[in-house]
Amino acid sequence: MKDAEENNNYRIAVPLAFENVFSHFYFAENKTDLPITKTLLPSFQTILVFNFGSRAFLKSEQNNILEVEKCLVLGPIKQAFDYTLDPGSEILVANFKEDAFYRFFGNVLFDALPIHPDALIQKNCFTTLWEELKEIANTKDRVNYILEFCKPYLREQNTIISLLSDFKEDNLNPIKAIASKINQSERNIQLNQKKFFGYTVKEVNRYERFLKAVEVIQKNAVGSIITDWITVVDQCGYYDQSQLIHDFKYYMNISPTKFLKFQNDICSSKAD
């Protein structure tokens, strides 16, 4: 278990009172003598990253390098990116759920991300919060401190967003169904979805199809089952194998077979 101790990383669940704000928190640290690089799967969530140790870096598909100094907000994460933890790095990541990022930061353009969160609210709240968190040794206590910090800032969901968030009818188009239910135009529902969530229903449906393929491949890998790509295509609703490959190239810039090979270097920010 030496490797697990040196590469300590785990998820932290949130209390029921915050389950519509954060899906979970994620902690990772590097206690080795060498940098550790992982690939983070797209999650369509917006994340807030705190760095309490030495340097941590993010690298986009376009090879743009971004250093996480104290705190950084980015997303929604629609494509995979690499992150590197230098020896002594220690990060804590808050994963915003659905429209919670907008409810917290207000009228923010998602296209402006990544950015230091203080720039979004034009105050030094997060720099101060980082300094206070750094003095707290226990990770769970840090999470509780962040949750208390959030309470005064969260806005209520509006009616349209509540309906979108709670929509469970897989066989229905949520935009059409909600527009009909509240007697508004489909265009207005679409605009609200994009504004508050940072993505469209069409985008997230494509992502969920890709995620289903990832889960099938990972399940096969865990069970030492040889992956039949035709079966994956059929199970996940793809037209053909080329469409499956296209989605893997789009989201991760690698083929499905390479994804299968590099399982140990890939992680997901989605809650279990």
Side-chain angles (χ1 to χ4, degrees):
M1 297 297 292
K2 185 171 185 281
D3 183 64
E5 292 172 2
E6 291 180 341
N7 305 292
N8 195 20
N9 63 90
Y10 52 86
R11 300 168 192 263
I12 304 163
V14 297
L16 288 177
F18 290 91
E19 65 178 359
N20 67 342
V21 180
F22 301 105
S23 61
H24 65 290
F25 283 75
Y26 174 76
F27 173 80
E29 62 182 343
N30 179 6
K31 293 184 176 181
T32 72
D33 296 327
L34 297 171
I36 295 173
T37 297
K38 295 277 188 180
T39 298
L40 183 71
L41 282 174
S43 65
F44 272 65
Q45 290 179 274
T46 302
I47 63 175
L48 173 62
V49 185
F50 293 95
N51 181 24
F52 301 108
S54 59
R55 299 185 307 174
F57 298 93
L58 311 176
K59 186 176 78 171
S60 71
E61 184 184 341
Q62 294 76 28
N63 289 322
N64 295 320
I65 306 296
L66 189 64
E67 181 175 353
V68 183
E69 294 180 347
K70 293 182 178 178
C71 44
L72 183 75
V73 62
L74 69 156
I77 301 170
K78 299 179 182 180
Q79 292 180 298
F81 64 81
D82 292 341
Y83 69 93
T84 300
L85 302 179
D86 273 359
S89 288
E90 181 183 331
I91 62 170
L92 179 62
V93 183
N95 295 268
F96 287 99
K97 194 171 181 180
E98 297 171 335
D99 69 316
F101 173 78
Y102 192 98
R103 289 169 56 203
F104 192 92
F105 287 101
N107 193 20
V108 173
L109 294 175
F110 285 98
D111 291 343
L113 307 184
I115 197 170
H116 190 291
D118 282 347
L120 296 176
I121 56 178
Q122 298 179 338
K123 295 180 181 179
N124 290 327
C125 296
F126 282 88
T127 298
T128 302
L129 175 62
W130 177 87
E131 291 170 350
E132 292 167 346
L133 291 172
K134 190 160 176 68
E135 299 303 313
I136 301 173
N138 182 275
T139 302
K140 188 66 185 293
D141 290 341
R142 281 177 173 169
V143 168
N144 290 334
Y145 199 91
I146 293 170
L147 296 178
E148 287 299 316
F149 172 85
C150 287
K151 283 182 179 178
Y153 296 97
L154 284 169
R155 299 165 178 82
E156 292 295 322
Q157 278 187 330
N158 70 27
T159 302
I160 293 174
I161 299 308
S162 293
L163 289 170
L164 284 166
S165 297
D166 297 336
F167 196 84
K168 305 299 181 188
E169 299 291 336
D170 293 338
N171 297 324
L172 296 178
N173 181 314
I175 300 297
K176 289 183 178 180
I178 292 170
S180 175
K181 182 175 183 177
I182 62 177
N183 197 27
Q184 290 198 19
S185 69
E186 291 181 25
R187 178 62 176 162
N188 186 46
I189 307 300
Q190 288 173 334
L191 289 173
N192 273 270
Q193 164 86 27
K194 180 69 174 177
K195 176 181 178 181
F196 288 92
F197 287 75
Y199 50 81
T200 65
V201 169
K202 184 177 180 180
E203 283 180 305
V204 80
N205 284 343
R206 179 186 177 187
Y207 160 70
E208 287 176 350
R209 180 183 62 186
F210 161 76
L211 189 62
K212 186 176 180 180
V214 166
E215 289 170 349
V216 170
I217 294 167
Q218 288 178 328
K219 186 176 180 181
N220 288 345
V222 170
S224 299
I225 299 169
I226 296 174
T227 296
D228 179 351
W229 298 111
I230 301 301
T231 301
V232 175
V233 166
D234 184 58
Q235 285 182 342
C236 302
Y238 283 97
Y239 296 124
D240 52 31
Q241 196 168 337
S242 65
Q243 191 185 29
L244 172 71
I245 294 169
H246 180 75
D247 268 11
F248 268 84
K249 290 286 183 70
Y250 175 79
Y251 289 116
M252 297 193 64
N253 201 31
I254 60 174
S255 68
T257 51
K258 282 191 177 179
F259 170 80
L260 191 56
K261 286 180 182 177
F262 300 127
Q263 280 294 294
N264 290 336
D265 294 327
I266 295 171
C267 57
S268 171
S269 69
K270 291 293 283 185
D272 293 329

